[in-house]
Amino acid sequence: MESKKEITKNLLANSFKELILDIPFKNITIKMITDKSKVIRPTFYHHFKDKYEVLEYIVDEDIMKNIYEMVDSDMEYESLKIIFIRLEKNREFIKKAFKVEGQNSFKEILGYKIYNIFIRIIDKHELNELYYSNVLTKENMARYYTNGLISFIELWVDKGCEYSGIDMFEAYTYMVSHSIMDIIKK
């Protein structure tokens, strides 16, 4: 059962999600969020410091929820699939959110969360020390996979999310499992 605090946070987040569908992020004010959710302004600041924190909360709740637990339960493949399914489910919001630029952008927030997933996966599978060098650290590997996945998601959004999350996940896993060197050798 949701606590009163969770209910209020979700109410504010849902108001924000509705607003961003019609109003550019930079024009959304705290007053707009509180008016739409019918809560007073101090209540907003009790739960969030600003609208960027609301955006991060939405990423956590609507896209990343339980993903770390899935990775810890040996469901790495499924966890990435769930991310694509959740992105598709929230496709209209995601299209607008990708337009948030600069520091604390949606892309940066999502990238940070995905980077942590890849770090967790790499740590969990204890890559052979032979793979590591000064350049090929786990952080660099996680950054490489994060940048690839974020670029792939951004391409999907730029194309209007015309394919399903499952189709995009399958395309992504195909792409990741076939390096450019495999393609060149053929």
Side-chain angles (χ1 to χ4, degrees), residues 137-162:
T137 63
K138 73 177 179 181
E139 291 82 7
N140 288 343
M141 290 177 68
R143 190 173 302 118
Y144 171 81
Y145 285 112
T146 299
N147 290 339
L149 181 53
I150 293 296
S151 294
F152 195 75
I153 292 167
E154 195 169 25
L155 175 68
W156 181 37
V157 169
D158 286 346
K159 297 286 183 183
C161 299
E162 61 189 65

Side-chain angles (χ1 to χ4, degrees), residues 33 38 53 59 62 78 83 86-87 102 120 125 130 143 154 176:
I33 297 169
K38 296 183 178 23
E53 196 169 277
V59 170
D62 291 357
E78 294 83 357
I83 290 171
R86 289 177 178 168
L87 288 168
R120 197 175 204 125
H125 291 284
L130 181 65
R143 190 173 302 118
E154 195 169 25
V176 170

Side-chain angles (χ1 to χ4, degrees), residues 98-111:
F98 256 108
K99 294 180 182 177
V100 177
E101 297 177 335
Q103 187 176 4
N104 299 323
S105 67
F106 176 76
K107 183 177 176 178
E108 185 178 290
I109 292 168
L110 184 61

Side-chain angles (χ1 to χ4, degrees), residues 47-98:
H47 298 287
F48 300 106
K49 67 179 178 187
D50 56 25
K51 62 186 179 180
Y52 292 97
E53 196 169 277
V54 177
L55 185 59
E56 184 170 357
Y57 177 78
I58 292 167
V59 170
D60 285 337
E61 290 298 306
D62 291 357
I63 300 166
M64 304 307 293
K65 191 170 191 161
N66 301 323
I67 296 297
Y68 295 114
E69 291 84 357
M70 291 177 74
V71 169
D72 291 344
S73 298
D74 299 328
M75 300 174 69
E76 296 90 342
Y77 184 85
E78 294 83 357
S79 68
L80 292 174
K81 188 176 194 177
I82 291 294
I83 290 171
F84 277 98
I85 291 168
R86 289 177 178 168
L87 288 168
E88 178 186 15
K89 181 180 176 189
N90 293 286
R91 75 172 63 194
E92 295 308 315
F93 170 77
I94 300 304
K95 287 179 192 177
K96 301 293 183 170
F98 256 108

